[in-house]
Amino acid sequence: MALFLLQFGGITFLFAMPRFREGQFGGKITVAASDFPEPNATPRVNNVGKFWLVHVNEGIGAIYTICTHLGCIYAWNEASRIFACPCHGSQFQLNGKWIAGPAPRDLDRFAFEVLDASGNVIAESPRGEFIKLPEGAASVRVNTGAKVLGQSNL
Ligand code: FES
C-alpha cells in the first residue's frame, strides 16, 4: 500500500509540474519593453518565442509567427508592409488582420504582461489584444502557452 501511495504521489507530482519552462517556447518569455519597435515601424521577430513584436496605433502586441492557413512560417515584406506567407499567398496587415489568401482567420496572438523595473505587473493583455505601453514599462512577459486565435474571416 505504501509503495502504491508513493508511486501515485510521484506521478501526481510530475503531472502537476509545468510542462514548459520560462524562457522556452510554450512558457513565458520576457523581452525588454525597448525591444518593441516604434508605432507602425518594422516588426521584430523573437525566434525563441516564435512571435513578432508588433507596435501599431492601438499599442503593442505579440503575434504568432505561424500562418493560420496550414502552418507555414510567414515573413514581413518591407516593400509592401504586410506579412506574406510563401506557401499559398496569404497576406496580413501589421496588426495581424487577414487581407487575402486562403488563411481562414487573422494571425494568432499571445497573451502578455507588462512589468516595471521591479518586476511588478503594471498592465495585462490576457486576450492578446494590443495595449499601450504604460509609463514605467521595463519589460514584457509573453505567455507563449496562451495563444489566442485570430478572428475568423469566413
Ligand atoms: Fe500560409 Fe497556406 S500556410 S497561406
Side-chain angles (χ1 to χ4, degrees):
M1 184 66 177
L3 183 60
F4 170 77
L5 288 175
L6 189 64
Q7 288 177 334
F8 183 75
I11 290 170
T12 302
F13 176 76
L14 287 176
F15 273 105
M17 295 290 288
R19 287 177 50 210
F20 301 102
R21 294 205 183 106
E22 186 137 353
Q24 295 179 336
F25 180 73
K28 294 181 178 177
I29 295 177
T30 303
V31 299
S34 59
D35 287 345
F36 281 85
E38 293 298 311
N40 300 310
T42 301
R44 296 181 182 148
V45 70
N46 181 296
N47 288 315
V48 174
K50 301 180 184 178
F51 56 83
W52 288 94
L53 301 147
V54 169
H55 198 164
V56 292
N57 293 335
E58 296 81 11
I60 62 163
I63 297 179
Y64 192 30
T65 57
I66 304 298
C67 180
T68 53
H69 180 222
L70 293 178
C72 285
I73 298 174
Y74 60 87
W76 175 250
N77 183 315
E78 185 64 29
S80 49
R81 299 204 52 79
I82 59 169
F83 290 114
C85 184
C87 292
H88 313 99
S90 288
Q91 299 176 346
F92 308 88
Q93 297 174 18
L94 177 61
N95 63 5
K97 288 274 179 212
W98 175 85
I99 300 170
R105 64 180 190 274
D106 297 343
L107 294 172
D108 301 332
R109 302 184 197 175
F110 292 117
F112 63 93
E113 301 169 322
V114 181
L115 302 105
D116 66 14
S118 303
N120 301 309
V121 175
I122 54 175
E124 291 179 280
S125 174
R127 300 283 311 148
E129 64 274 25
F130 293 103
I131 59 171
K132 300 276 188 196
L133 265 179
E135 196 72 30
S139 59
V140 176
R141 188 163 53 205
V142 178
N143 186 354
T144 61
K147 185 174 72 176
V148 179
L149 298 184
Q151 190 171 348
S152 172
N153 57 27
L154 298 178

